[in-house]
Amino acid sequence: GGEWLDMEDCDGVFSNIEEKCSGCKNEGKCPPRSRSRPSANSDGTNYDIVVIGAGCIGAAISRELAKYKLSVLMLEASDDVSQGATKGNSGIVHAGYDDKPGTNHAKFCWTGNQMFPDLDKDLNFGYQKNGSLVLATNKDEVGILEDLLKRGETNGVQNLRIVEKKELFEMEPHINPNVIAALYAPDAGNVIPYEFAIALAENAVDNGVELRIRREVTGITRKDDGLELTVNHWEPKAYILSKEVSPLQKIGTTQLIILGFLASLTLWAGALMNLVPAGAFPKLMGTILAFLVLVKVLFPGKSKVERNTPISELVNQAGAIEGSGGTKVSVDDMKVGGSGCRTIQNGETVETETVKAKFVINCAGSYSDKIANMIGDKSFCIKPRLGDYLLLNRNQGHLTTKTLFPCPDPILGKGVLVQTTLWGNLILGPTARDVYKPEAANMTAAEVQHYILSKCKNLVPSFDPKETIHAFCGARAKSDRGDWIIENSAVDGRMIHVAGIDSPGLAGSPAIALEVVRLLEESGCKLTANPTFNPRRAPNITPKDGMRGLKMGSVGKNDSDGLDEAKMSQNVICKCEKVTELEVVRALRRSLPIDSTQAIRKRTRAGMGHCQGDPANYNCEARVKAIIARETGMPMSQIGGRPWPATSTLSQRWPEESELKDLESRMNE
């Protein structure tokens, strides 16, 4: 609910609450590939509502709709929920003091902010109400603080105040010594944005919403009884190749036995009729049997991984972990899921689906204008704005407790910030690169890093850029209208646009979801309460008291058989983040489909630590891949890894000392 709990107070409040929660007892069986378990609310083709997009907006709306007796389908173009702008942002639950009064930004930000404590109590995604500070270094900037204070009060934001220097440095002793005052918003907070969206989506699916991933909407036809969507289901080429079976591979063991028996009968009959020399019979039989055995050995088929396969054996099959080379994610890729999109995953269409809906909610982020165009609606255009970040090690997280902003830029908005994340890292950024401006879109990695580091140095001079462990970028869906678009389409009111949701969209998302429900009801959607709706969801991550009760070791030393939960709860799979085998297994058995180490990384933090999954350290990504194979039965060739470089400005996942020194130089240029 925004406040930290003492470790001894977690039991029954944050942990060990599975019996009260939705979807926690699907033990033993993972969802099917690329979709949730079938919902009893629909026949698979006809739905009351289709939600396009499974970021924090689409997931929040889907969960709100799960409170009613409706058949709801959530479609996501990438390989997991939260792969678009939700994955690549600061995770700030803004208070709403800088939004222009009278806009949708102002209308929904503060309202949404106030919903987060109760949401977190139900869904346990992790929310800390740490507050934010806008720093001023001169009298002119103090005047800007006073303007922001008045604007915030106009927007209904409570508890705002300007803090003078003495109190400010008691709050944040590491900030720039030239700062003389700050605007303090104690109700601002932060989340890990993808963990927030995953929690919303899980609870929605637990309560009857259906999810399909790797589904690209390619066309929408207006019909008398609703909207008909054409949807391409794609899969990675590696998966498709692994499913291809030659005629010889289709021969099963039973079929080989039958073939051998028939061959024996034929030879025996031939021998009786003197067609086969008696002395040749044993040799011919031996040759046939040897041939059949050879067929089975050379063409074994695409068998599932057996559950009793040792983890150590599967780790050896995991293959190399990507840390250099690879394909850079383009802006067009970022519109449809970034590193999880069809292009980066070398995807190919495996089937085309037809889906019918009475209403369609367009939450497709940077692709939402393309969805609108499919029904002839050209009322807005999305112009993505790129935001680049650098993530520093946890040993830098103590440098601030609040989220620190400079005085806002009249064009680029809130500016580059410094913040300690929920998990204790220091995050720096973002840039604000409008892709339609060549000078911004074409910035080099070095220029991006210099921009971030030099700006953040003005807020907190003492951070160490050599502690950078990760870099990433997100594309914010800015619209040409300059405000969030939350309305029925003027072309066809059965489509509701929730588009152009840039910052502070995460903060506004729960309030936006309520507004969409209101618009649906006004549009004739019958809303009857779902009496079985369960709002509660247990966290994926278990709090740990240091290393107490945990065991680390080489692969195979502490691994379980997938059945012994006590052993799984002790076996550490990721050393940096102390992720256990049980946390990975429980994530796999929940309601959202998972078939990649990247998906597990977002749910458990395996591979998120300072070593970033370095195989030479603990080889956690290979261990996770092995557990996915054991739990799902998928061959290794069907399990995705963490792609590189994705949107990173680093040259490799594990930067060398020379590159880290370059970062230090760029900070001081």
Side-chain angles (χ1 to χ4, degrees):
E3 307 296 334
W4 288 95
L5 281 174
D6 290 332
M7 185 68 71
E8 59 268 22
D9 295 332
C10 285
D11 190 54
V13 178
F14 183 80
S15 51
N16 297 321
I17 58 174
E18 284 77 11
E19 293 295 335
K20 303 175 184 177
C21 296
S22 64
C24 292
K25 287 299 175 183
N26 294 308
E27 299 295 340
K29 192 171 183 180
C30 303
R33 186 178 176 94
S34 298
R35 65 181 302 157
S36 59
R37 299 176 184 90
S39 171
N41 295 341
S42 172
D43 59 8
T45 300
N46 297 285
Y47 295 86
D48 292 318
I49 300 167
V50 169
V51 178
I52 303 175
C56 67
I57 301 296
I61 292 169
S62 296
R63 180 180 182 264
E64 202 61 39
L65 293 174
K67 297 177 180 179
Y68 302 95
K69 289 183 177 180
L70 296 167
S71 56
V72 180
L73 171 63
M74 185 165 34
L75 296 173
E76 170 54 47
S78 72
D79 66 349
D80 193 13
V81 302
S82 76
Q83 285 286 68
T86 298
K87 183 178 68 174
N89 74 79
S90 314
I92 299 171
V93 182
H94 289 279
Y97 51 77
D98 62 337
D99 298 312
K100 184 179 178 181
T103 62
N104 280 336
H105 287 74
K107 180 179 179 180
F108 295 110
C109 183
W110 171 251
T111 305
N113 170 291
Q114 293 296 288
M115 294 172 70
F116 267 79
D118 285 340
L119 262 180
D120 187 44
K121 288 175 184 176
D122 280 341
L123 299 176
N124 292 294
F125 46 81
Y127 163 60
Q128 62 173 349
K129 194 166 71 170
N130 63 320
S132 68
L133 293 165
V134 181
L135 306 182
T137 57
N138 55 58
K139 291 184 178 179
D140 289 341
E141 290 185 343
V142 172
I144 295 174
L145 299 187
E146 292 169 349
D147 291 341
L148 288 174
L149 176 63
K150 292 175 184 175
R151 178 178 287 192
E153 290 171 345
T154 301
N155 291 342
V157 181
Q158 299 175 11
N159 306 316
L160 293 172
R161 62 187 179 93
I162 292 176
V163 179
E164 301 298 332
K165 186 166 186 173
K166 182 177 183 299
E167 182 184 2
L168 177 58
F169 278 82
E170 289 172 354
M171 287 181 173
E172 299 291 347
H174 300 287
I175 59 175
N176 186 334
N178 295 324
V179 172
I180 59 174
L183 176 65
Y184 179 37
D187 286 276
N190 68 68
V191 298
I192 304 298
Y194 43 84
E195 292 183 20
F196 170 57
I198 287 166
L200 291 165
E202 270 187 12
N203 191 242
V205 172
D206 291 342
N207 284 287
V209 171
E210 185 181 335
L211 167 69
R212 300 184 199 176
I213 59 173
R214 300 191 177 98
R215 294 329 200 262
E216 293 183 333
V217 177
T218 59
I220 302 175
T221 304
R222 298 164 63 194
K223 302 279 189 178
D224 290 341
D225 57 348
L227 298 171
E228 184 176 281
L229 290 74
T230 302
V231 182
N232 282 348
H233 171 197
W234 66 269
E235 290 288 349
K237 191 169 185 178
Y239 170 79
I240 295 169
L241 291 174
S242 74
K243 298 288 284 184
E244 291 180 355
V245 180
S246 69
L248 288 174
Q249 287 174 319
K250 292 179 181 179
I251 301 174
T253 303
T254 302
Q255 291 167 309
L256 283 176
I257 293 171
I258 293 171
L259 285 172
F261 177 70
L262 292 174
S264 302
L265 284 177
T266 303
L267 287 175
W268 179 71
L272 288 178
M273 292 183 289
N274 295 319
L275 297 176
V276 178
F281 181 81
K283 292 181 180 179
L284 287 170
M285 275 300 302
T287 302
I288 290 171
L289 290 174
F291 172 74
L292 294 174
V293 170
L294 189 63
V295 166
K296 194 61 182 172
V297 171
L298 295 179
F299 304 97
K302 303 296 182 179
S303 59
K304 291 180 66 175
V305 171
E306 296 297 329
R307 192 172 179 82
N308 60 0
T309 306
I311 290 293
S312 56
E313 182 179 323
L314 294 171
V315 167
N316 291 334
Q317 300 173 22
I321 305 303
E322 286 190 87
S324 60
T327 304
K328 188 79 172 178
V329 171
S330 70
V331 175
D332 284 340
D333 295 332
M334 294 170 75
K335 292 179 180 180
V336 287
S339 61
C341 77
R342 173 200 284 260
T343 305
I344 299 300
Q345 299 286 333
N346 296 315
E348 295 181 3
T349 299
V350 294
E351 63 178 327
T352 298
E353 302 168 341
T354 299
V355 174
K356 298 177 181 179
K358 296 174 184 175
F359 297 93
V360 170
I361 314 299
N362 175 14
C363 317
S366 291
Y367 202 73
S368 56
D369 54 349
K370 305 297 187 296
I371 296 296
N373 291 348
M374 291 178 190
I375 63 166
D377 187 338
K378 301 182 184 299
S379 61
F380 63 92
C381 179
I382 299 297
K383 298 181 176 181
R385 174 176 283 179
L386 303 183
D388 304 89
Y389 295 86
L390 295 174
L391 187 71
L392 275 57
N393 204 352
R394 282 180 174 171
N395 61 12
Q396 302 295 295
H398 69 283
L399 293 174
T400 178
T401 57
K402 311 287 187 293
T403 300
L404 306 178
F405 295 98
C407 276
D409 183 280
I411 303 298
L412 299 178
K414 301 176 184 70
V416 180
L417 62 91
V418 175
Q419 172 182 278
T420 300
T421 71
L422 184 73
W423 294 106
N425 299 89
L426 197 71
I427 190 170
L428 313 176
T431 57
R433 297 192 289 136
D434 291 311
V435 298
Y436 61 88
K437 297 178 180 178
E439 69 276 12
N442 299 325
M443 286 175 71
T444 65
E447 289 170 336
V448 167
Q449 292 166 357
H450 166 67
Y451 182 88
I452 295 171
L453 293 168
S454 59
K455 297 285 186 182
C456 290
K457 181 183 177 182
N458 293 332
L459 300 175
V460 179
S462 58
F463 70 85
D464 184 356
K466 298 194 301 300
E467 291 293 335
T468 299
I469 62 172
H470 184 42
F472 62 94
C473 177
R476 302 167 227 167
K478 293 194 74 68
S479 81
D480 58 355
R481 294 199 200 171
D483 195 11
W484 296 345
I485 301 164
I486 308 169
E487 64 189 28
N488 296 78
S489 169
V491 172
D492 193 320
R494 295 170 297 183
M495 176 176 281
I496 295 176
H497 299 310
V498 190
I501 311 295
D502 56 356
S503 179
L506 185 145
S509 59
I512 290 171
L514 292 176
E515 175 68 3
V516 170
V517 171
R518 187 188 69 79
L519 290 174
L520 280 167
E521 188 170 28
E522 281 188 355
S523 303
C525 182
K526 184 179 179 181
L527 300 179
T528 303
N530 175 7
T532 64
F533 177 78
N534 183 350
R536 303 201 66 187
R537 173 235 182 219
N540 271 314
I541 297 171
T542 302
K544 298 161 186 88
D545 187 4
M547 284 300 298
R548 184 177 299 174
L550 302 178
K551 294 181 179 180
M552 293 184 186
S554 57
V555 175
K557 182 178 180 181
N558 302 310
D559 297 327
S560 80
D561 56 3
L563 300 173
D564 186 342
E565 287 203 359
K567 190 170 185 179
M568 286 193 283
S569 69
Q570 298 172 341
N571 181 28
V572 173
I573 297 299
C574 170
K575 182 167 66 173
C576 296
E577 297 293 316
K578 294 185 284 190
V579 179
T580 66
E581 182 182 353
L582 183 60
E583 288 170 310
V584 175
V585 168
R586 283 183 169 171
L588 285 164
R589 294 177 185 174
R590 291 227 180 154
S591 52
L592 305 186
I594 295 174
D595 51 48
S596 71
T597 60
Q598 179 79 326
I600 289 295
R601 181 172 171 260
K602 292 191 299 181
R603 288 157 174 81
T604 67
R605 297 191 58 77
M608 287 278 190
H610 66 269
C611 93
Q612 291 291 294
D614 188 348
N617 184 12
Y618 205 67
N619 205 15
C620 63
E621 187 167 346
R623 294 182 190 225
V624 168
K625 199 176 240 189
I627 295 171
I628 295 173
R630 183 192 69 194
E631 290 295 311
T632 63
M634 294 180 192
M636 282 293 177
S637 56
Q638 296 181 12
I639 300 170
R642 178 183 171 189
W644 182 265
T647 59
S648 179
T649 57
L650 300 175
S651 67
Q652 54 185 331
R653 190 190 297 188
W654 306 287
E656 296 178 354
E657 185 64 25
S658 59
E659 184 169 6
L660 297 175
K661 287 183 178 178
D662 286 342
L663 290 173
E664 185 176 40
S665 299
R666 286 166 192 150
M667 174 180 174
N668 296 314
E669 286 175 357

